[in-house]
Amino acid sequence: HELALLATYWGVTVDNIKSVTPDAAFSECKTLTGPGGKQFTDFAKVGFTVETKDGKTITLMIDRCGSDSGGNSIAVVSDASGKELFRAETPDAALSTKVAEAAAKDPEMMPYFFLQHDDYITLKELSSSHVIKGAAGAPEGMATIDVAVDALKVAEYLTPLLQDALK
């Protein structure tokens, strides 16, 4: 998700990455054996800073295993001078409280569904409204197939670089 946000909101592509600085102290890559005996390697958590050729600096700290409700990601965007332009942490305190309350009311539901609920409602409303209006293209800020392809290319570029930093 975070890589799609990089592409959608900050235009990060493999072609415009100037540098990547891994955060080896924060990051953790694990190799685990699945139920069929096959081994899988992936990041439990990963942190890095991307600098683009146009001077944007984006720092991501993604902890995929740090919360029972999902989330636990931090994003910081700075300009070329280092001035912070944007910061987000998911979930924030209000959303954490909302997720905990919903999970208590429905303990059989996976908590990350409550975490993502409002975002999916917004996504459905935006896309439905766009289609009903007969508008061309995709709604503003909505990831497209092109964004998904860019995000996957960035993932393929970053993975060996970040894994090597952890050796």
Side-chain angles (χ1 to χ4, degrees):
H1 291 114
E2 287 82 357
L3 298 182
L5 294 173
L6 283 179
T8 301
Y9 294 108
W10 296 289
V12 175
T13 66
V14 171
D15 295 331
N16 74 1
I17 293 175
K18 178 179 177 183
S19 67
V20 177
T21 305
D23 183 342
F26 177 82
S27 301
E28 182 180 5
C29 190
K30 293 184 174 187
T31 299
L32 303 172
T33 303
K38 183 177 178 186
Q39 290 194 326
F40 297 90
T41 300
D42 203 352
F43 292 97
K45 57 186 189 174
V46 63
F48 58 91
T49 299
V50 172
E51 182 181 359
T52 63
K53 292 175 183 173
D54 61 351
K56 291 184 192 118
T57 302
I58 304 103
T59 298
L60 292 177
M61 297 173 67
I62 306 156
D63 187 346
R64 300 175 68 201
C65 302
S67 168
D68 291 341
S69 61
N72 232 27
S73 297
I74 299 168
V76 179
V77 180
S78 303
D79 64 15
S81 71
K83 179 183 173 196
E84 188 173 299
L85 302 174
F86 175 82
R87 173 182 288 267
E89 184 169 351
T90 302
D92 61 14
L95 184 54
S96 291
T97 299
K98 185 176 180 177
V99 168
E101 290 170 355
K105 290 179 186 171
D106 190 355
E108 306 236 346
M109 185 70 69
M110 294 300 295
Y112 60 84
F113 289 129
F114 300 121
L115 178 76
Q116 299 167 355
H117 175 270
D118 290 353
D119 290 334
Y120 281 113
I121 295 297
T122 300
L123 181 68
K124 289 176 184 179
E125 288 173 347
L126 281 172
S127 59
S128 297
S129 173
H130 194 77
V131 169
I132 289 168
K133 290 177 184 173
E140 174 94 23
M142 186 177 290
T144 63
I145 294 297
D146 292 335
V147 168
V149 169
D150 283 338
L152 288 172
K153 287 178 181 177
V154 170
E156 293 297 320
Y157 174 82
L158 291 174
T159 298
L161 189 150
L162 296 170
Q163 286 177 332
D164 287 347
L166 297 177
K167 291 181 181 174

